[in-house]
Amino acid sequence: MPKTELQQAGFLLRLRKQDTPTGVSQATLEKLMTATGLSKTEVAHLALKQMAERYLPFYAQDEGALSSAQIDAIRRESPATGTPEESFTERIF
């Protein structure tokens, strides 16, 4: 029997007997549902989405820091090339 889209990905969430640093109780979940007007599933999705925004990068990984040759090329092409070094108070690299 083929799995439907809803059946393909999921997990069981067991609530804690009491709130802990890494888990919540049924009472807390119910308070969140009342405060937000969201269902249990929507509360879980919202919490996971907020964690993803907090811990995962929003951009594609690049090749790392610029090389000295790349920095020199940027400085050569920059309109600020003729500006004296002491005029700069902050640097981006």
Side-chain angles (χ1 to χ4, degrees), residues 12-88:
L12 176 65
L13 176 65
R14 290 198 175 106
L15 298 170
R16 306 289 192 252
K17 290 181 182 178
Q18 63 184 34
D19 290 343
T20 68
T22 58
V24 296
S25 65
Q26 178 70 29
T28 297
L29 178 58
E30 288 173 5
K31 288 176 187 175
L32 286 168
M33 291 168 52
T34 300
T36 63
L38 300 174
S39 69
K40 288 178 184 180
T41 300
E42 291 168 328
V43 169
H45 277 284
L46 178 61
L48 290 169
K49 177 64 175 162
Q50 289 175 350
M51 284 190 70
E53 290 172 356
R54 182 175 177 183
Y55 292 105
L56 302 177
F58 291 99
Y59 51 87
Q61 295 293 322
D62 58 23
E63 291 82 41
L66 295 174
S67 68
S68 296
Q70 290 170 317
I71 293 172
D72 291 341
I74 292 169
R75 287 189 174 141
R76 280 192 306 276
E77 295 296 321
S78 171
T81 299
T83 305
E85 287 290 322
E86 56 273 3
S87 297
F88 295 100

Side-chain angles (χ1 to χ4, degrees), residues 87-93:
S87 297
F88 295 100
T89 58
E90 291 184 40
R91 297 198 172 277
I92 58 171
F93 53 81

